[in-house]
Amino acid sequence: DGGGPLPQEQLQALDQALEKVRSDIRGTLDHARQRKDNQEEAIFAAHLALLEDPALLDAARQSIAQGRAATHAWSDAIGEQCEILLQLGNALLAERTNDLRDLQQRVLRALLGEAWHYQLPAGAIVAAHELTPSDLLQLSEQGAVGLCMAAGGATSHVAILARGKGLPCLVALGSELVDVPQGQQVVLNADQGRLELTPDSARIEQVRQSHLLRQQRREQQQQQAQLPARTLDGQAIEVAANVASSQEAQGAHANGADGVGLLRTEFLFVDRHTAPDEQEQRQAYQAVLDAMGDKAVIIRTIDVGGDKQLDYLPLPVEANPVLGLRGIRLAQARPELLDQQLRALLQVSPLQRCRILLPMVSELDELLHIRERIDCLCAELGIGQRPELGVMIEVPAAALLAEQLAEYADFLSIGTNDLSQYTLAMDRDHAGLAARVDALHPALLRLIAQTCAGAARHGRWVGVCGALASDPLATPVLVGLGVSELSVSPPQVGEIKERVRQLDAAECQRLSHDLLNLSSASAVRHACHQHWPLS
């Protein structure tokens, strides 16, 4: 014969290469789950799904059947898919071609028996036409300190992963970038979106100094992190941490957290085929309490449904899952799940250090029903005193009813992530809108103000456990509106405590109420920079 590739062998080679890449991606997914890195997990889960796409696989296999080599068949099949996405004229879909090219390279490397290899010198800034998500993971492991790309978009998966890893990253710098000679000293200023190609020695020294100062400041924040946070005029603000496991709780305690402001219990329920039993749950909650020394731990009851589904809990397929059976609504559909969880929570010791938080409450009856249930379980278990019970304020209805809820709840905790997407009617995972889902929007601030005012009428405290609590620009606004607890990501405890100590609470109160009358989130951010500059 003409010595061309034998289709059977080529198909087998392609299948083996695909399986190798799938197995590598599964490893990345496991690692991301262990670190609770939801974004990384979602991005690589999408890659796994693309590798199962029948249109893609069929095109490659048909091409092999016609006598082409597996390498060419795979490259062409991906090329066609990219072409289709680019022709749709949608910027977001065009960015997804980057994910396809990632898979193109990975499968080709597996077919050719090559590994990803590129040795980086220490402190390297990497410039490329375009990097893919798997490039980014490799470069981050090799210690790259910054990335810049000639192409790419701000909402591409690479940019999202870089943000999650704290790597400064600039995109769409134009093709001249690729002509910058290797080994040249540059300054990457991600805050201002600039790459300085010819910095003189004075500029480099200036950058080194500011980098050094930042490091010293971080060390200082760490040293002060164990101390309480009080404003200049003596108001105590509790700075707690959001955690999702006892390991994270240990980290939070070491970072100086005043408690756990939100333990997400979903970590116990996901990635398994049966629900955890009462004993397993109790041990997990107890481990978090033990990790926090003598500090209080707020444990949120299971919040699945919406975008978080469980294998063993078949829920009806919903057209709009984020507006469907999730949070406390699920507990009403499957009361035995919540009962089991409440039983486990009521058996931790000491119980007075455990506070229970209910997600997605939208009316008073939901709170009263669960309160009654807890009272019954306490009686059953011979427990004299019910633990504190709080309500998540993440549905606008709950913020508007805060006063009624505060009469029967011991505290309120504002989840700004969901509250902002429900108030603004914008999905925070929508790449085209994500930048506008800003919890400093005046409408959100009004709901926060109303929540604090309603709680104060019954002498209850209000915390914030959404991402806004971790934003130092927002700290003075939240303190000014009446929030007394901020629950932040563990590494930020020291930074937010330092921010609190620089504020005058009375001044924050006076200035933050004026922000409610501004026109947009960007106007609020501008005013915050003016009133309370970030030093």
Tab-separated table of all heavy atoms in Angstrom, residues 66 86 121 123 167 256 304 346 371 415 425 449 463 484:
chain	number	residue	atom	x	y	z
A	66	GLN	N	-10.746	8.355	6.867
A	66	GLN	CA	-10.412	8.692	5.477
A	66	GLN	C	-8.909	8.628	5.212
A	66	GLN	O	-8.424	9.071	4.171
A	66	GLN	CB	-10.940	10.094	5.154
A	66	GLN	CG	-12.461	10.120	4.998
A	66	GLN	CD	-13.029	11.531	5.172
A	66	GLN	OE1	-12.290	12.498	5.243
A	66	GLN	NE2	-14.351	11.616	5.245
A	86	LEU	N	-15.675	31.487	16.259
A	86	LEU	CA	-15.244	32.833	15.869
A	86	LEU	C	-16.250	33.485	14.926
A	86	LEU	O	-16.463	34.695	14.959
A	86	LEU	CB	-13.862	32.777	15.197
A	86	LEU	CG	-12.708	32.440	16.153
A	86	LEU	CD1	-11.444	32.099	15.379
A	86	LEU	CD2	-12.445	33.591	17.119
A	121	PRO	N	13.556	31.133	34.542
A	121	PRO	CA	14.453	31.680	35.571
A	121	PRO	C	13.618	32.263	36.721
A	121	PRO	O	12.437	32.566	36.533
A	121	PRO	CB	15.202	32.789	34.821
A	121	PRO	CG	14.341	33.137	33.657
A	121	PRO	CD	13.533	31.925	33.319
A	123	GLY	N	11.753	34.655	39.216
A	123	GLY	CA	11.194	36.009	39.070
A	123	GLY	C	10.842	36.387	37.653
A	123	GLY	O	10.835	37.568	37.293
A	167	LEU	N	-1.709	36.187	40.456
A	167	LEU	CA	-0.640	36.477	39.487
A	167	LEU	C	-1.031	37.691	38.661
A	167	LEU	O	-2.040	37.653	37.961
A	167	LEU	CB	-0.472	35.298	38.525
A	167	LEU	CG	0.571	34.236	38.824
A	167	LEU	CD1	0.544	33.179	37.737
A	167	LEU	CD2	1.969	34.844	38.892
A	256	GLY	N	-5.366	34.717	62.782
A	256	GLY	CA	-5.903	35.708	63.717
A	256	GLY	C	-7.399	35.934	63.641
A	256	GLY	O	-7.910	36.913	64.191
A	304	VAL	N	-27.480	23.513	48.963
A	304	VAL	CA	-27.304	22.984	47.610
A	304	VAL	C	-28.551	23.320	46.813
A	304	VAL	O	-29.460	23.977	47.301
A	304	VAL	CB	-27.050	21.456	47.582
A	304	VAL	CG1	-25.720	21.135	48.224
A	304	VAL	CG2	-28.181	20.713	48.221
A	346	LEU	N	-26.389	19.937	66.987
A	346	LEU	CA	-26.787	20.109	68.391
A	346	LEU	C	-25.946	19.248	69.335
A	346	LEU	O	-26.024	19.413	70.554
A	346	LEU	CB	-28.277	19.789	68.569
A	346	LEU	CG	-29.236	20.796	67.913
A	346	LEU	CD1	-30.665	20.281	67.911
A	346	LEU	CD2	-29.162	22.157	68.618
A	371	ARG	N	-36.969	27.146	63.688
A	371	ARG	CA	-36.762	27.407	65.121
A	371	ARG	C	-37.530	26.385	65.963
A	371	ARG	O	-37.020	25.829	66.942
A	371	ARG	CB	-37.255	28.829	65.435
A	371	ARG	CG	-36.314	29.597	66.349
A	371	ARG	CD	-36.793	31.007	66.510
A	371	ARG	NE	-37.694	31.102	67.651
A	371	ARG	CZ	-37.617	32.050	68.563
A	371	ARG	NH1	-36.694	32.986	68.466
A	371	ARG	NH2	-38.450	32.096	69.562
A	415	GLY	N	-25.186	37.905	52.844
A	415	GLY	CA	-24.395	37.255	51.789
A	415	GLY	C	-24.429	38.145	50.561
A	415	GLY	O	-25.354	38.080	49.756
A	425	ALA	N	-30.476	41.564	39.208
A	425	ALA	CA	-30.949	40.660	38.150
A	425	ALA	C	-29.839	40.390	37.136
A	425	ALA	O	-30.045	40.419	35.930
A	425	ALA	CB	-32.189	41.229	37.453
A	449	ALA	N	-28.208	48.913	54.650
A	449	ALA	CA	-28.607	49.903	55.665
A	449	ALA	C	-29.932	49.500	56.305
A	449	ALA	O	-30.110	49.574	57.524
A	449	ALA	CB	-28.713	51.291	55.021
A	463	GLY	N	-23.734	40.759	60.523
A	463	GLY	CA	-22.426	40.478	59.934
A	463	GLY	C	-22.541	40.493	58.416
A	463	GLY	O	-23.638	40.454	57.857
A	484	SER	N	-21.280	44.921	62.375
A	484	SER	CA	-20.288	44.795	63.456
A	484	SER	C	-19.434	43.536	63.336
A	484	SER	O	-18.577	43.288	64.170
A	484	SER	CB	-20.982	44.815	64.816
A	484	SER	OG	-21.894	43.750	64.896
